[in-house]
Amino acid sequence: MSSFEDLVAEGAAVPTEGWDFSWFAGRASEERPSWGYAGLLAQRVARARAVLDIQTGGGEVLASVPVTPPVLAATESWPPNVDIARRRLAERGGTVVEVDDTADLPFPADHFDLVVSRHPVATRWDEVRRVLRPAGTYLSQQVGPGSVRELTDFMMGPGAVAPHRPLPELTTSPGASAMATVAVAEAAGLEVVDVRQEALRMEFHDVAAVVHFLRKVIWIVPGFTVDAYRERLAELHDFTRRHGPFVAHSQRFLIEARKG
């Protein structure tokens, strides 16, 4: 059985680029939402002629669709992900533009009939509406309030609140409730046509999985470093060795909105 130091070093060494979570196989698991975002995405893309994926990560989800529309574009803010997404989506005829998560979208108004985003860091609802064509659709799977709260509370203490960053008007970020998100989307002039919410069980089987997860999903424990949280990580390592996986729950909701 690997030692605490070996596991921590392993989790700290795994690259964090992209949104490929295959490394976690056998070490951590998460239930998937019943609505099946990838399947819904494939259905919507198959009927669209111009598609934009906002905050595409490494382009993994968008590249999985079986049918490529005539116009395929994506945005991403993190330079290592931009390079990965460009290589991946170029094979599907797609283009990727490097754009800050809260910046205006560098596309003309009424340009896309489908805009999508999976787990966006921020959603500029005014910009989504602007770039959608009339009757166009926005489809997104978002991170709900209190997601993985059990791990945040263990690492930072119960009731810890992540530092708030100012956001542009009509913008939501991870942790916004479905109700609040609907209100902002409607305030931006969109018609919300579908909302679904679920809590999903997560299991972390070793401390390496926790270290890698916190390095990759940076809003769970803002400012996480191994050195700053070594004591808590050691306690978690001892717990998983004696009692089995650390259990948490991710919060997800699906929202679909339409431009009138």
Side-chain angles (χ1 to χ4, degrees):
M1 185 175 292
S2 299
S3 70
F4 168 70
E5 294 297 340
D6 288 342
L7 288 169
V8 167
E10 182 181 0
V14 182
T16 58
E17 293 85 355
W19 287 112
D20 180 2
F21 284 76
S22 59
W23 178 87
F24 288 100
R27 326 188 66 136
S29 63
E30 179 182 356
E31 292 179 329
R32 296 299 180 216
S34 62
W35 51 77
Y37 177 78
L40 292 176
L41 176 65
Q43 293 172 15
R44 302 301 193 276
V45 171
R47 300 197 297 261
R49 295 192 56 79
V51 176
L52 171 65
D53 185 20
I54 298 175
Q55 298 168 39
T56 193
E60 298 87 352
V61 180
L62 188 59
S64 70
V65 300
V67 177
T68 302
V71 176
L72 185 66
T75 68
E76 174 56 31
S77 63
W78 195 36
N81 278 352
V82 172
D83 293 338
I84 294 171
R86 282 176 174 159
R87 291 194 298 270
R88 179 174 281 122
L89 295 178
E91 300 174 0
R92 308 297 302 275
T95 59
V96 179
V97 182
E98 185 173 347
V99 181
D100 185 77
D101 295 328
T102 60
D104 292 353
L105 295 171
F107 304 103
D110 305 328
H111 194 64
F112 299 98
D113 47 0
L114 177 65
V115 176
V116 299
S117 190
R118 180 179 179 272
H119 303 171
V121 174
T123 303
R124 282 282 308 273
W125 292 95
D126 56 336
E127 282 295 283
V128 169
R129 184 186 185 282
R130 185 184 65 80
V131 301
L132 275 173
R133 294 171 179 165
T137 296
Y138 175 71
L139 178 72
S140 179
Q141 180 174 293
Q142 305 231 351
V143 178
S147 191
V148 204
R149 173 57 64 185
E150 299 93 336
L151 184 56
T152 302
D153 286 350
F154 177 81
M155 299 297 293
M156 301 180 70
V161 177
H164 174 71
R165 61 168 180 154
L167 294 172
E169 188 179 2
L170 299 177
T171 302
T172 55
S173 61
S177 69
M179 183 178 294
T181 300
V182 168
V184 176
E186 291 177 341
L190 293 166
E191 177 192 3
V192 176
V193 297
D194 192 13
V195 179
R196 312 181 206 178
Q197 306 174 66
E198 290 184 0
L200 307 159
R201 181 182 175 93
M202 303 177 70
E203 294 186 355
F204 296 92
H205 293 270
D206 65 35
V207 73
V210 172
V211 169
H212 182 43
F213 179 78
L214 294 178
R215 291 174 56 236
K216 195 174 186 73
V217 188
I218 58 176
W219 55 80
I220 301 300
V221 177
F224 170 81
T225 65
V226 168
D227 288 342
Y229 287 93
R230 185 173 294 275
E231 182 177 338
R232 301 303 286 160
L233 292 170
E235 291 184 34
L236 192 147
H237 170 68
D238 181 63
F239 177 89
T240 56
R241 290 190 64 176
R242 293 191 296 120
H243 302 296
F246 183 95
V247 176
H249 295 83
S250 63
Q251 306 292 330
R252 299 286 182 265
F253 66 90
L254 181 81
I255 183 167
E256 187 168 4
R258 191 169 298 141
K259 180 176 177 177

